[in-house]
Amino acid sequence: MITSCGTRKGYFKLEGKFLHMNQGEIYAYSTDGLISGIDTIKIEGGSFAYEIPCEDKGTLVLVFPNFSQHPVFAESGKSVSLKADASHLKEMEVKGNDDNNLMTDFRKRISNLSPPEIRKSAKDFILENPKSLASNWLLINYWINNPQANYKEAGELLDRLIAAQPRNGEIKKLAQKLKSICNSNIGCRLPAFTEYDINGNLIASRTLAASPVSVISVWANWNYESENVQRTLHQLERQSKGQLKLLSINIDACKQDCKNAIKQDSITWPTVCDGEMLEGKLIKQLGLTCIPGNLVMQNGKIIARNLQTTDLENKIKQLLHM
């Protein structure tokens, strides 16, 4: 493991070493404004070093070549080490400050647990460590971004975090996200909105609400699973004979990347891309907090959220009797 006790004040440094990955790239983005857009981290000789300005605590999300995502918690003047076997990323160790040490210990503790046991462990962790950024990540991952989550329980845990982190504006944003999710939960009508797509055309929720079946999907060039959803929707739209209406929200930081992908894949339905990633106006209004993410509507009523590719395909075929 690469080790270092610190770096310059006002900066954060992440150093890593991989087994079974000599060269490659990983991507980094932030869920709380630590960095803007997406950074590319080059791996050479199985190692990398990445340093960014950092005045306060924040969260980086690393996106690996297998498209898995893992959090790293940054802190001013700190240097953190990452050690991982590229073939077993779930066993990754990130150490160097309290938040990362706690997250690494949690990851080890849940490695052999069932999903219900993992959520119970995540709840216990949050209650025991309400001041930790790792608790914020677990709340997002297991409650805010989970369509099967108990939102009452999410609200109770969120209240605990707000009390423990009163100066953390990102926690208050989570409260707004949870409210948006509840307003666009299964059984609700699609919230009314108007927005401009990437070509400057005005789109409105009433167009989707008037369709027998409609889907709003979230995707990005750097997320393979979300692109796979796009391809599946493309095929289903062509087979639906006009009965399926689609709207996509692209969260690439660069609008041109979105335009290039749309052209390459011959996407003709409206796509919204404002360059704000997961902080865009429409995505927040609809309570869509993860990638890939989606809302499925039947006659304007939300009947499913954040389905995986196969489940989404089966649901659409069932609704359209295909």
Side-chain angles (χ1 to χ4, degrees):
M1 181 182 293
I2 300 173
T3 57
S4 178
C5 60
T7 187
R8 298 174 291 166
K9 183 179 179 180
Y11 287 82
F12 168 75
K13 190 172 186 179
L14 173 63
E15 298 178 293
K17 189 171 182 63
F18 289 94
L19 293 175
H20 304 119
M21 187 190 297
N22 188 53
Q23 290 185 320
E25 294 180 347
I26 56 179
Y27 301 104
Y29 70 94
S30 176
T31 58
D32 51 23
L34 181 64
I35 62 173
S36 298
I38 298 176
D39 285 349
T40 300
I41 301 174
K42 299 285 187 180
I43 301 169
E44 296 182 357
S47 301
F48 72 85
Y50 172 69
E51 188 176 54
I52 57 171
C54 177
E55 296 296 335
D56 202 353
K57 288 186 174 183
T59 304
L60 289 170
V61 182
L62 303 183
V63 183
F64 290 88
N66 68 347
F67 302 102
S68 64
Q69 301 186 40
H70 298 268
V72 172
F73 306 109
E75 191 174 348
S76 178
K78 294 289 185 178
S79 182
V80 166
S81 63
L82 180 154
K83 178 183 177 182
D85 184 333
S87 61
H88 298 88
L89 287 173
K90 289 184 178 181
E91 300 172 7
M92 180 177 66
E93 294 186 356
V94 183
K95 295 186 176 182
N97 62 6
D98 291 342
D99 290 328
N100 287 299
N101 295 343
L102 284 169
M103 191 66 196
T104 293
D105 291 342
F106 175 79
R107 189 182 291 113
K108 290 179 178 179
R109 191 161 64 247
I110 67 171
S111 60
N112 295 314
L113 298 183
S114 66
E117 291 172 329
I118 291 174
R119 186 173 297 179
K120 173 63 167 57
S121 293
K123 181 179 179 179
D124 291 342
F125 182 100
I126 292 171
L127 294 175
E128 293 169 6
N129 304 280
K131 294 183 179 181
S132 173
L133 289 184
S135 291
N136 303 354
W137 170 263
L138 293 178
L139 180 69
I140 292 170
N141 199 45
Y142 291 106
W143 280 271
I144 303 296
N145 289 351
N146 189 327
Q148 282 78 47
N150 180 328
Y151 293 126
K152 180 181 178 181
E153 185 176 62
E156 292 170 353
L157 292 172
L158 188 56
D159 287 342
R160 179 68 68 93
L161 295 184
I162 290 173
Q165 304 177 48
R167 297 183 179 181
N168 189 337
E170 297 303 320
I171 294 295
K172 295 178 181 179
K173 289 182 181 179
L174 279 182
Q176 185 58 48
K177 285 184 179 180
L178 183 58
K179 180 180 179 180
S180 296
I181 291 171
C182 292
N183 290 338
S184 60
N185 202 5
I186 294 172
C188 297
R189 299 290 299 179
L190 178 65
F193 65 84
T194 56
E195 185 60 271
Y196 288 95
D197 70 11
I198 198 166
N199 296 315
N201 300 312
L202 184 66
I203 54 176
S205 56
R206 61 177 178 269
T207 302
L208 296 169
S211 176
V213 179
S214 55
V215 177
I216 300 175
S217 63
V218 181
W219 68 283
N221 276 288
W222 44 269
N223 185 280
Y224 174 80
E225 188 177 353
S226 71
E227 288 192 312
N228 193 32
V229 170
Q230 286 288 98
R231 288 189 286 270
T232 299
L233 290 174
H234 194 184
Q235 181 179 13
L236 291 170
E237 186 208 28
R238 287 184 295 178
Q239 297 172 356
S240 74
K241 299 179 181 179
Q243 296 300 296
L244 175 63
K245 295 295 183 184
L246 302 175
L247 170 65
S248 292
I249 303 175
N250 175 274
I251 61 168
D252 284 321
C254 176
K255 293 183 181 180
Q256 191 58 50
D257 289 344
C258 174
K259 288 184 176 181
N260 292 342
I262 290 172
K263 182 177 180 180
Q264 179 178 338
D265 294 338
S266 302
I267 300 299
T268 57
W269 64 82
T271 296
V272 172
C273 179
D274 57 15
E276 297 296 324
M277 301 183 71
L278 286 168
E279 294 301 313
K281 174 185 172 184
L282 181 58
I283 198 171
K284 290 198 295 185
Q285 181 181 349
L286 296 176
L288 288 164
T289 59
C290 61
I291 178 171
N294 50 71
L295 297 176
V296 181
M297 282 74 62
Q298 185 176 32
N299 298 318
K301 184 177 181 179
I302 299 170
I303 61 171
R305 287 179 57 95
N306 297 337
L307 296 179
Q308 298 297 314
T309 307
T310 300
D311 294 333
L312 178 61
E313 180 178 10
N314 291 339
K315 173 62 72 173
I316 293 172
K317 287 183 175 180
Q318 174 191 357
L319 293 171
L320 294 177
H321 307 291
M322 295 171 64

